[in-house]
């Protein structure tokens, strides 16, 4: 079985069988990367934090490999208006947070937020759990291959402003890269793509994946984009 189609308590499969060759560097990165190579923010040792998962979904578009992203509604309490991967907190029915729970949650949330059909998604890897201090989420990034693409779009306008795909070629284009500067002084990678500024946790994950997959191109880290104080 190579498809993870059951999001309602059944077994969820992770498989690298039949992936396109261009995903090989990503698979290698997922298998070898260490938590601190991804982020300096790791889950609290005392087990605190709300367990959650995101789906990093690679597909094949008109311009080659692409990633699925969404823009969160501006009315949300946390990370409002930010582009992000589909995802959210684990529900009890998702199962064990240290087992299949994050896999099931990533698919369920992606279906709820973008309308995608989980049966067309092949999960092929899981990155180490990371931490978002500002919201207290412990996030498991789950990687998938959109083997059988399905229509996507905004399901609930109260949660999602838009759903879009970004060609990997645009993410690796040095002209689309910058460093964000938060009013707190925190600096991080950013991508100016599809009329959006992708920053924060999502940009950090994309940045590290591009780097460890060997897809990163030299870019001007001195090019800065200030973030509004409300961000």
């Amino acid at each position: 079985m190579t498809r993870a189609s059951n999001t309602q308590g059944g077994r969820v499969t992770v498989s690298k069988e039949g992936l396109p060759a261009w995903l090989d560097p990503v698979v290698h990165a997922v298998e070898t990367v260490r938590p601190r190579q991804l982020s300096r923010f790791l889950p609290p040792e005392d087990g605190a934090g709300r367990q959650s998962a995101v789906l990093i979904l690679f597909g094949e578009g008109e311009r080659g490999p692409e990633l699925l992203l969404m823009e969160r509604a501006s009315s949300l309490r946390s990370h409002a208006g930010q582009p992000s991967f589909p995802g959210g907190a684990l529900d009890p029915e998702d199962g064990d947070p240290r087992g299949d729970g994050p896999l099931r949650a990533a698919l369920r949330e992606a279906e709820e937020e973008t309308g995608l059909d989980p049966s067309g998604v092949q999960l092929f890897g899981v990155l180490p759990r990371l931490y978002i201090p500002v919201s207290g989420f412990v996030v498991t990034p789950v990687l998938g291959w959109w083997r059988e693409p399905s229509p996507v779009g905004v399901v609930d306008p109260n949660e999602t402003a838009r759903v879009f795909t970004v060609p990997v070629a645009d993410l690796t284009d040095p002209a689309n890269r910058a460093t964000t500067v938060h009013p707190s002084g925190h600096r991080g990678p950013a991508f100016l793509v599809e009329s959006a500024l992708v920053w924060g946790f999502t940009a950090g994950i994309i940045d590290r994946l591009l780097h460890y997959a060997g897809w990163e191109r030299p870019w001007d880290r001195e090019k800065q984009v200030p973030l509004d104080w409300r961000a």
Side-chain angles (χ1 to χ4, degrees):
M1 178 178 177
T2 60
R3 293 184 194 133
S5 57
N6 191 335
T7 61
Q8 299 299 322
R11 185 165 176 266
V12 183
T13 302
V14 176
S15 170
K16 294 184 281 290
E17 178 187 341
L19 294 174
W22 59 260
L23 267 176
D24 288 349
V26 178
V27 172
H28 178 73
V30 172
E31 292 175 339
T32 57
V33 72
R34 309 302 303 165
R36 291 220 175 264
Q37 291 177 308
L38 291 173
S39 174
R40 61 190 178 96
F41 298 115
L42 302 183
E45 294 183 1
D46 62 3
R50 191 174 183 192
Q51 298 295 325
S52 63
V54 295
L55 179 64
I56 303 176
L57 184 59
F58 286 91
E60 185 105 44
E62 293 180 1
R63 296 179 51 215
E66 60 186 17
L67 274 176
L68 178 68
L69 295 177
M70 50 172 272
E71 194 169 301
R72 296 168 59 82
S74 58
S75 57
L76 292 176
R77 282 186 300 173
S78 63
H79 309 294
Q82 275 189 245
S84 68
F85 300 117
L90 268 67
D91 285 347
E93 57 266 30
D94 291 325
D96 185 0
R98 295 187 176 274
D100 284 352
L103 307 179
R104 206 169 285 110
L107 288 171
R108 174 184 56 76
E109 285 282 346
E111 181 177 17
E112 291 175 0
E113 292 175 332
T114 75
L116 69 75
D117 182 356
S119 67
V121 175
Q122 175 180 334
L123 301 183
F124 66 86
V126 180
L127 288 171
R129 294 186 308 151
L130 304 173
Y131 187 57
I132 304 180
V134 67
S135 58
F137 279 104
V138 174
V139 185
T140 300
V142 179
L143 288 91
W145 157 238
W146 213 352
R147 177 177 289 282
E148 297 175 12
S150 52
V152 291
V154 173
V155 176
D156 182 356
N158 293 316
E159 286 195 7
T160 309
R162 66 173 173 140
V163 177
F164 58 101
T165 56
V166 181
V168 171
D170 287 351
L171 294 167
T172 58
D173 186 342
N176 297 333
R177 304 213 53 181
T179 297
T180 50
V181 183
H182 194 275
S184 66
H186 178 71
R187 297 161 61 93
F191 301 84
L192 297 122
V193 290
E194 301 297 323
S195 303
L197 173 65
V198 183
W199 64 282
F201 176 84
T202 303
I205 293 292
I206 295 174
D207 171 77
R208 293 296 79 197
L209 276 177
L210 296 180
H211 176 77
Y212 288 109
W215 291 350
E216 184 180 38
R217 296 165 59 190
W219 56 282
D220 182 6
R221 295 170 190 271
E222 298 305 313
K223 177 184 174 183
Q224 297 185 0
V225 177
L227 289 172
D228 188 275
W229 65 270
R230 293 184 298 271

